Every structure is written in C-alpha cells, then in structure tokens.
Amino acid sequence: MENESEIYYQIERTKTSQIETNEYDEKVFYSIKWISDCSFIQKFDKNKMKLTDEMKMINNDGGIVVELLNKEDDNCILYQSYVKNFKELSLRNGMFCKINIKVKNK
C-alpha cells in the first residue's frame, strides 16, 4: 500500500471466529459471519476481551466487512475491508498470505 507502513498479524480462523496476534503478542478476538464464499463480517468478540469505545462503535455500525478479491498466487489473496455503514471513510486494502499451516490433532 502506498504511503502506509506494512503491518503483519498472525491470523487463526475457524468458520465462526478469528484471533489476530500482532508482533507484541497482543490478541484481538472476532466473531465471524460469512455472507458468501468470498466475504464475511467480523465483529469484536465482547465475550473474549474487553472492548474499547472504538470497538463498540464499529460493532454497533454493523462490524467490519471483509471481501476477498483476487488471488495473487497459491499462498496470497488480496482483500478489502471496511466498517459496514461507513465504507468511504474506512476502506482499507491488504493481502492475506499463508506463511505456515498449523494442524491441530484432536
């Protein structure tokens, strides 16, 4: 992204939840609702963490819409995200890339 610094997060996602961990090992928890095969809405999970006023506002404004766009290669896909009711003000573009895959045995 031009004129923006790159930010890296480790993302663990199931069909209904997501955990983002930043480089300082701080975690943010989301609930996920799929709209289609290529888009979902994520809201901050108030059951797993204390929400800031900004997080509460985003949840009240419909959450964050994430739309998967174009596949760059076998490991990366471009996306855009925005707060549902404020697309023009909050639109961001980025890229999800698989770095490694963890398999949990049950």
Side-chain angles (χ1 to χ4, degrees):
M1 296 183 293
E2 247 180 73
N3 298 324
E4 292 190 34
S5 61
E6 293 181 353
I7 302 171
Y8 295 90
Y9 295 91
Q10 177 181 329
I11 298 174
E12 297 175 52
R13 185 181 306 128
T14 67
K15 187 172 181 163
T16 60
S17 67
Q18 177 172 304
I19 304 168
E20 290 182 1
T21 307
N22 67 18
E23 62 189 273
Y24 306 107
D25 208 31
E26 299 167 329
K27 296 183 185 304
V28 177
F29 298 87
Y30 297 93
S31 61
I32 302 281
K33 179 181 177 188
W34 286 89
I35 301 168
S36 70
D37 288 346
C38 295
S39 62
F40 58 90
I41 296 174
Q42 61 185 35
K43 290 187 175 185
F44 297 98
D45 192 336
K46 65 182 178 183
N47 297 318
K48 295 185 179 176
M49 64 183 192
K50 182 176 176 153
L51 302 187
T52 64
D53 289 341
E54 182 180 9
M55 290 172 173
K56 291 175 188 175
M57 182 181 68
I58 290 170
N59 281 359
N60 290 336
D61 288 332
I64 300 168
V65 177
V66 179
E67 297 174 343
L68 306 176
L69 302 174
N70 297 320
K71 190 173 178 183
E72 286 288 294
D73 56 39
D74 287 339
N75 293 317
C76 295
I77 189 166
L78 298 174
Y79 74 89
Q80 71 176 10
S81 65
Y82 53 89
V83 177
K84 186 173 182 180
N85 294 325
F86 295 95
K87 184 173 183 175
E88 296 78 23
L89 296 172
S90 62
L91 185 64
R92 302 246 185 225
N93 294 303
M95 184 181 304
F96 290 126
C97 294
K98 290 181 191 177
I99 295 174
N100 59 26
I101 300 172
K102 295 180 181 180
V103 177
K104 293 182 180 180
N105 294 326
K106 291 186 177 185

